[in-house]
Amino acid sequence: MNFPLQSSSFELTYPIVEGTRYKNVNFLVSKSPERIACFTKKGNVQVSDHDAKKVMISGQLMHGHLEGSYMRKKQLGEPIRKLDSVRTLLIDNYDSYTYNIYQELSIVNGVPPVVVRNDEWTREDVLHYLYEENAFDNIVISPGPGSPTCPEDIGICLQLLLECCDIPILGVCLGHQALGYVHGAKVVHASDPIHGRLSELEHNGCRLFLDIPSGRNSGFKVVRYHSLVIDSESLPEELIPIAWTSSTGLLSFLEPKEPTIVSDGYESETERCILYDSVSANVINGNSNLFSRSDEVRSGRVLMGIMHSTRPHYGLQFHPESIATCHGRQIFMNFREITEDYWRKLRSSYIKEKFSHYTACMQVSDASRMFTEVPRSIECKNSALHQLHKKDPRSMKLLYSGTELNSSSKLERVNAPNPATDHKCLKLKWRKFDHLAGQVGHARNIFCGLFGHKKADNTFWLDSSSVEKGRARFSFMGGKGGSLWQQLTFRLSDQSDVISKCEGYLSIEDSQGSTRSIFLEEGFLEFLNKELLSFRYSKLDYEGLPFDFHGGYVGYIGYGLKVECGVANRHKSKTPDACFFFADNLVVVDHQNDDVYLLSIHEESTCMTTWLDDTEQKLLSLKASARGKLETQDSHPVMFSPCKAGFVAEKPREQYIKDVGKCLEYIKDGESYELCLTTQIRKSIGEINTLGLYLHLREKNPAPYAAWLNFSKEDLCICCSSPERFLQLDRSGILEAKPIKGTIARGITQEEDDQLKLKLQFSEKDQAENLMIVDLLRNDLGRVCEPGSVYVPRLMDVESYATVHTMVSTIRGKKQSNVSAVDCVKAAFPGGSMTGAPKLRSMEILDTLESCPRGIYSGSIGFFSYNQTFDLNIVIRTVIIHNGEASIGAGGAIVALSNPEDEYEEMILKTRAPAKALLEFQ
């Protein structure tokens, strides 16, 4: 197909059109009672189905009514001055990349956009703010799962594209498809679903691509996440193609023959264009058979961008906000300039008068409150805007936040702690013992000597058992101790399968053994938030400590607590949904400097206990074990099948492979980009030394985020050898996530091992998995971090462990000052590497495919310190022992490139280390 290389006439002279409201548009957002398949197969092509039995929108019908669109009335006057900032209404289609766009627009526009989900404002609400309040200068429509032909997927977006003829609009991915569909173009299945993969683009030089190169080898590479496309042959005359793939080939992120410069994300727009590692290229030269290469797209060039010929409306099929897209920020800058020029050329006296009064508010994640009547807080299901259904938004005014990036608006918490009478004033005492760890047998001997008696009941050990290459530095351990010690056990109620129901029962046991129960209507995380906010302390108490855990809550958050983050549970866990100790006494081992610390906290009004003196005496009396520091085995695992060793699989091989196929169908239909399908294997066990099992596991499979937790009253022991950090918040306010996507077994010989490591590094499938989750975590951190602060210092590194190589990335950002530690967790939980993207839709799909609750698996283990820092892992490579049964969860990310049989083998691979350790120890 030949695309025209011309610009639209409206870019030079904008039309001034008067019109009236088109009143018969309520059918555009009619809701179907359940999700429906919006495509049917005709011949060899998947096309949109306009069958009257399905509740969807006719693009041809809407196309015939465009002349009746709601238009802003114009009056002649003086030209509008250049905008100091551009105020964007960002429509979120329940996507997991929306806040990447939010971060970019915050930087480019000079003020953060207002984010509204596609079903939270009515048509009248939006038009009120656009045309009566003049609160926004442009609109951006986000990506999202599904199809623009399904009303529940696209919400109000089609109405905006139809009626807002004179508002600059940019649609991304699903928004791009909606722009084509609303004007009569057909949305069809792509010849291949493309997710987390790159293409070179060619464009027509229109203003949206100003100062961006074009064509093959130009450096303009973009990331694509889509299964559907606009049929370019069906484009009506008013829609002009402006971008398309410049070749039939697809690119993986890392290519073996180019040099590597990892972008920091925000320093330089040109440096976001990723280069590659020439050293690796030399190593693998001549071994191209090791690396999976993409097939060519069968249908030739694919339409990647459109614009309207008379309206300031643009659509982009690719994702300019992705970390691996080149020149993405330049596109957003160009859209800002288009917006500025558009309004500068219009003359309107009432806009000029009102401009200085209205501006978009600073929004903190989906859950920030936008209106003066509604306090800001992070709650379930985007509660920031949930109240709009109860009040008329037109009776409220948007908060003024000025044009500065760092807004000073305060975050009022709906469920803030009670007045000062409920505050707990904590004092910390600590002692340091230089270079003592090695003298007393290192962390293993310290834990066993101090806490290993009586079956190590009610003890914890956050164990950095793999500290090579700076992966981790500190281990924290402790047990039932001082007067502040507690055990918190939370179980969701039977009603918590409803999305708005987070309630459950909390049991609290104190240091004297007394137990009380509380019914928590707002859920466990909100309770934890209140408790942490109630602590008062002096920073001087921990000055000089090189770590961030100084006492507080240690335990786990189960996967089922996703209900507190907006997703209902289909399955109920047999284990508690959350279990924590409040640790008032703890021992810390610094593996880097070989130091040992003793810490004890107490309330200011109480006397210190003798714990520090007693523990110091016990510590100094410990003798190094005969073996000294444990030597981890560097040998590589032999083939081992858990299912042949007495484990019972929750899902047999045939069913797992079948479910992978179902995942691929969902991906093909645009319902998800990536689905992390999981299952569990189980084995009944008799009496077993659970601490001995953990010690054996940590020796065979050491990991930087390993953990031992023993909740003896629950008959629950957790032996975790996780290599993955979920989320960390340090005392300087820096958030860090380290998702893992991409795993391969170690080789038997050094040569084989090196080749397998390189095979993983340059695997197109694994790169696509990792890139999708990196973009998802950037989104999650972007909801609670300062605009412009989210970046990726390490992208797709390969790390090696005792049994596997893994692909790991690191994402960091600066937490906003008015967001709490628990708010940060709620914004990102569960970890995206265990769900897929878009997260909400993916979790809904996975709940229908998985036949059992994940429970503790896929949740997080770690600490919440009393000073609002935390560090949490992802619960993988873990043996859960509960009521005489051992269970091990495992899974893998299903993407468009997945092979069902290979996915099953990868899942089994991930169970081998913990399963083998259990069998060897029994």
Side-chain angles (χ1 to χ4, degrees):
M1 158 167 283
N2 294 321
F3 295 100
L5 291 171
Q6 79 266 8
S7 297
S8 168
S9 60
F10 90 82
E11 292 196 316
L12 302 177
T13 57
Y14 299 96
I16 298 177
V17 184
E18 292 192 10
T20 58
R21 296 191 185 206
Y22 170 58
K23 298 181 179 179
N24 188 26
V25 294
N26 289 332
F27 76 97
L28 293 178
V29 289
S30 58
K31 294 279 186 177
S32 57
E34 58 184 278
R35 285 203 52 75
I36 53 177
C38 295
F39 287 83
T40 184
K41 194 164 186 176
K42 297 183 178 180
N44 293 323
V45 182
Q46 298 282 350
V47 299
S48 56
D49 187 349
H50 295 274
D51 192 315
K53 295 179 181 178
K54 295 183 178 178
V55 184
M56 58 184 70
I57 303 150
S58 168
Q60 299 295 335
L61 177 61
M62 288 187 291
H63 178 59
H65 286 282
L66 291 178
E67 293 183 359
S69 300
Y70 187 110
M71 306 293 293
R72 187 192 299 265
K73 295 182 179 180
K74 320 279 190 315
Q75 298 176 2
L76 295 178
E78 294 299 320
I80 299 175
R81 61 182 173 83
K82 181 177 177 65
L83 303 180
D84 294 327
S85 59
V86 170
R87 306 156 303 165
T88 296
L89 176 62
L90 176 55
I91 307 296
D92 175 23
N93 288 302
Y94 288 85
D95 195 56
S96 288
Y97 300 148
T98 300
Y99 276 85
N100 295 333
I101 299 175
Y102 170 90
Q103 287 275 328
E104 288 291 334
L105 291 176
S106 297
I107 298 166
V108 168
N109 287 351
V111 64
V114 169
V115 183
V116 179
R117 282 185 168 168
N118 65 20
D119 58 357
E120 289 182 314
W121 278 4
T122 66
R123 164 185 174 273
E124 288 76 17
D125 296 335
V126 177
L127 297 181
H128 168 80
Y129 283 113
L130 288 173
Y131 292 101
E132 295 180 42
E133 301 287 359
N134 301 304
F136 301 105
D137 302 307
N138 63 26
I139 299 170
V140 174
I141 300 175
S142 85
S147 163
T149 65
C150 291
E152 61 184 27
D153 291 341
I154 199 63
I156 199 169
C157 298
L158 294 181
Q159 290 175 287
L160 299 183
L161 290 164
L162 175 69
E163 299 195 59
C164 300
C165 306
D166 55 345
I167 302 290
I169 299 179
L170 174 64
V172 178
C173 200
L174 183 64
H176 156 87
Q177 295 165 11
L179 175 59
Y181 183 70
V182 80
H183 291 287
K186 294 179 181 179
V187 177
V188 301
H189 277 98
S191 58
D192 291 302
I194 308 297
H195 298 116
R197 301 162 76 187
L198 286 75
S199 292
E200 290 183 308
L201 286 202
E202 184 177 349
H203 59 77
N204 70 344
C206 73
R207 288 198 61 189
L208 195 62
F209 296 110
L210 184 67
D211 296 328
I212 296 175
S214 175
R216 299 190 67 177
N217 302 318
S218 67
F220 186 24
K221 298 176 183 178
V222 302
V223 176
R224 299 164 60 183
Y225 295 112
H226 65 97
S227 301
L228 311 177
V229 294
I230 293 175
D231 180 5
S232 58
E233 298 292 343
S234 70
L235 279 183
E237 292 182 359
E238 60 265 35
L239 294 182
I240 300 172
I242 60 173
W244 49 93
T245 55
S246 64
S247 65
T248 58
L250 286 166
L251 306 172
S252 57
F253 176 72
L254 290 174
E255 294 288 344
K257 293 187 179 180
E258 301 178 28
T260 270
I261 300 175
V262 176
S263 167
D264 64 4
Y266 289 98
E267 288 297 325
S268 165
E269 175 64 20
T270 57
E271 287 183 1
R272 283 189 85 175
C273 304
I274 308 299
L275 303 175
Y276 310 99
D277 189 66
S278 56
V279 175
S280 295
N282 293 331
V283 173
I284 63 172
N285 190 28
N287 292 317
S288 59
N289 59 304
L290 291 175
F291 315 109
S292 62
R293 304 299 300 234
S294 61
D295 295 329
E296 293 192 338
V297 179
R298 294 186 297 273
S299 59
R301 297 196 298 175
V302 180
L303 186 62
M304 287 285 112
I306 57 175
M307 65 183 291
H308 197 281
S309 60
T310 59
R311 301 180 179 189
H313 293 181
Y314 296 82
L316 298 174
Q317 179 62 79
F318 62 92
H319 283 238
E321 80 285 356
S322 173
I323 186 64
T325 290
C326 301
H327 307 292
R329 181 170 299 166
Q330 185 63 50
I331 291 173
F332 289 118
M333 291 173 63
N334 290 342
F335 185 58
R336 170 187 169 136
E337 292 176 1
I338 289 170
T339 300
E340 290 174 335
D341 287 350
Y342 180 83
W343 293 119
R344 191 159 47 243
K345 292 179 180 179
L346 294 177
R347 293 184 285 272
S348 171
S349 59
Y350 81 92
I351 293 178
K352 183 170 61 177
E353 290 293 326
K354 289 192 174 184
F355 168 75
S356 61
H357 182 69
Y358 294 104
T359 189
C361 71
M362 168 73 79
Q363 176 162 330
V364 181
S365 89
D366 283 353
S368 55
R369 301 283 183 167
M370 292 178 53
F371 302 103
T372 54
E373 288 86 346
V374 186
R376 296 184 180 188
S377 179
I378 290 190
E379 295 185 330
C380 297
K381 198 180 185 300
N382 191 22
S383 59
L385 298 172
H386 194 57
Q387 299 298 322
L388 292 178
H389 299 295
K390 301 177 182 178
K391 296 185 180 182
D392 182 1
R394 288 168 288 174
S395 67
M396 309 176 190
K397 291 183 179 179
L398 291 171
L399 292 173
Y400 177 78
S401 65
T403 58
E404 296 296 323
L405 253 181
N406 295 318
S407 170
S408 60
S409 59
K410 295 182 179 179
L411 187 81
E412 295 182 33
R413 304 187 187 284
V414 174
N415 299 305
N418 292 329
T421 55
D422 285 346
H423 291 161
K424 303 178 184 71
C425 295
L426 301 181
K427 297 295 293 182
L428 169 67
K429 299 294 183 182
W430 57 274
R431 299 173 186 176
K432 177 185 177 184
F433 302 89
D434 294 331
H435 313 301
L436 180 64
Q439 299 175 37
V440 296
H442 298 282
R444 180 187 187 277
N445 213 42
I446 293 172
F447 182 84
C448 292
L450 297 181
F451 307 107
H453 55 283
K454 295 181 180 179
K455 299 182 180 180
D457 287 348
N458 301 311
T459 59
F460 67 87
W461 183 5
L462 304 181
D463 178 20
S464 298
S465 57
S466 174
V467 296
E468 298 85 0
K469 301 180 181 179
R471 289 172 182 156
R473 178 177 171 183
F474 302 102
S475 291
F476 305 92
M477 58 186 71
K480 191 171 182 177
S483 60
L484 296 179
W485 182 94
Q486 289 181 333
Q487 179 177 325
L488 309 182
T489 306
F490 178 74
R491 287 180 170 85
L492 288 163
S493 73
D494 292 336
Q495 301 300 315
S496 293
D497 57 347
V498 181
I499 196 166
S500 60
K501 297 290 186 180
C502 304
E503 75 253 9
Y505 298 90
L506 177 67
S507 172
I508 303 176
E509 179 189 355
D510 64 22
S511 59
Q512 304 302 314
S514 298
T515 302
R516 61 191 176 100
S517 295
I518 304 174
F519 183 73
L520 301 179
E521 292 184 355
E522 298 168 319
F524 177 78
L525 293 177
E526 187 54 39
F527 170 85
L528 182 62
N529 192 41
K530 288 181 181 181
E531 290 296 303
L532 291 171
L533 290 172
S534 74
F535 295 131
R536 296 294 178 265
Y537 54 90
S538 171
K539 294 182 180 179
L540 295 177
D541 285 357
Y542 52 79
E543 190 173 290
L545 291 177
F547 45 84
D548 289 319
F549 184 34
H550 309 134
Y553 294 100
V554 183
Y556 72 83
I557 301 170
Y559 181 74
L561 285 198
K562 73 183 193 299
V563 72
E564 299 192 29
C565 304
V567 181
N569 288 319
R570 187 182 183 94
H571 308 290
K572 187 169 180 61
S573 175
K574 296 179 181 178
T575 55
D577 294 287
C579 224
F580 279 84
F581 298 119
F582 185 87
D584 52 358
N585 300 322
L586 65 149
V587 179
V588 184
V589 179
D590 182 347
H591 298 285
Q592 177 176 296
N593 296 331
D594 208 32
D595 300 329
V596 179
Y597 296 80
L598 303 182
L599 285 77
S600 183
I601 54 176
H602 64 98
E603 286 197 80
E604 193 173 43
S605 59
T606 63
C607 297
M608 273 291 296
T609 66
T610 61
W611 184 86
L612 283 174
D613 295 331
D614 294 343
T615 306
E616 178 180 347
Q617 185 176 7
K618 292 177 183 177
L619 180 65
L620 295 177
S621 67
L622 290 176
K623 294 182 180 180
S625 65
R627 296 180 59 191
K629 185 174 181 179
L630 283 173
E631 297 290 338
T632 58
Q633 289 191 356
D634 196 30
S635 60
H636 304 299
V638 296
M639 294 302 292
F640 167 80
S641 173
C643 294
K644 293 181 180 179
F647 284 90
V648 177
E650 188 72 37
K651 191 171 291 187
R653 181 180 187 276
E654 295 74 16
Q655 185 59 50
Y656 191 86
I657 290 174
K658 184 177 179 180
D659 288 343
V660 173
K662 292 178 181 178
C663 290
L664 292 173
E665 287 298 316
Y666 280 115
I667 291 170
K668 180 181 178 182
D669 287 339
E671 297 297 325
S672 178
Y673 316 140
E674 177 174 354
L675 290 162
C676 185
L677 182 67
T678 75
T679 188
Q680 301 204 24
I681 59 174
R682 305 180 188 278
K683 181 178 174 63
S684 295
I685 57 174
E687 285 292 324
I688 185 172
N689 181 350
T690 51
L691 177 58
L693 168 63
Y694 175 68
L695 296 174
H696 184 67
L697 175 63
R698 78 185 293 271
E699 181 177 0
K700 295 295 185 180
N701 196 49
Y705 308 108
W708 155 267
L709 292 171
N710 185 3
F711 300 98
S712 55
K713 280 200 171 182
E714 300 298 327
D715 195 15
L716 173 62
C717 286
I718 303 172
C719 304
C720 175
S721 59
S722 173
E724 182 172 2
R725 168 176 280 158
F726 164 46
L727 198 61
Q728 178 197 46
L729 175 65
D730 66 21
R731 71 181 75 171
S732 62
I734 300 299
L735 280 165
E736 179 182 273
K738 295 190 69 173
I740 290 177
K741 271 294 159 231
T743 303
I744 197 169
R746 298 289 301 266
I748 296 176
T749 66
Q750 187 62 50
E751 180 180 5
E752 180 188 22
D753 196 53
D754 291 341
Q755 288 190 346
L756 288 169
K757 182 176 181 179
L758 288 172
K759 181 178 181 180
L760 173 64
Q761 184 172 12
F762 294 101
S763 162
E764 186 176 13
K765 170 187 172 292
D766 293 303
Q767 289 177 28
E769 286 182 23
N770 201 282
L771 178 58
M772 281 187 265
I773 299 307
V774 168
D775 279 342
L776 186 153
L777 265 298
R778 290 174 59 235
N779 172 88
D780 290 350
L781 267 62
R783 296 172 61 189
V784 292
C785 286
E786 293 179 357
S789 70
V790 179
Y791 71 108
V792 182
R794 301 175 74 87
L795 188 57
M796 299 187 192
D797 279 356
V798 174
E799 295 184 356
S800 300
Y801 294 89
T803 60
V804 296
H805 300 294
T806 62
M807 186 178 287
V808 186
S809 294
T810 304
I811 305 98
R812 293 186 185 133
K814 176 70 173 179
K815 181 185 75 69
Q816 292 188 18
S817 61
N818 53 5
V819 174
S820 73
V822 174
D823 290 341
C824 296
V825 173
K826 290 177 75 172
F829 187 82
S833 63
M834 301 306 295
T835 62
K839 185 186 285 188
L840 295 181
R841 181 70 60 82
S842 295
M843 285 191 287
E844 291 170 354
I845 293 170
L846 290 167
D847 262 9
T848 67
L849 295 176
E850 295 177 356
S851 56
C852 65
R854 294 191 184 185
I856 300 169
Y857 169 65
S858 295
S860 294
I861 294 172
F863 69 78
F864 288 89
S865 183
Y866 70 80
N867 63 341
Q868 291 268 325
T869 63
F870 65 82
D871 198 356
L872 300 168
N873 75 2
I874 296 285
V875 182
I876 54 176
R877 320 290 198 273
T878 298
V879 182
I880 309 293
I881 300 174
H882 184 235
N883 292 337
E885 181 183 69
S887 63
I888 300 169
I894 312 304
V895 297
L897 293 172
S898 291
N899 174 277
E901 288 78 11
D902 291 345
E903 291 297 335
Y904 177 79
E905 292 303 322
E906 180 179 333
M907 182 273 292
I908 292 296
L909 169 65
K910 292 172 180 176
T911 67
R912 282 178 184 154
K916 190 170 182 231
L918 178 61
L919 290 176
E920 288 175 344
F921 186 75
Q922 276 190 304

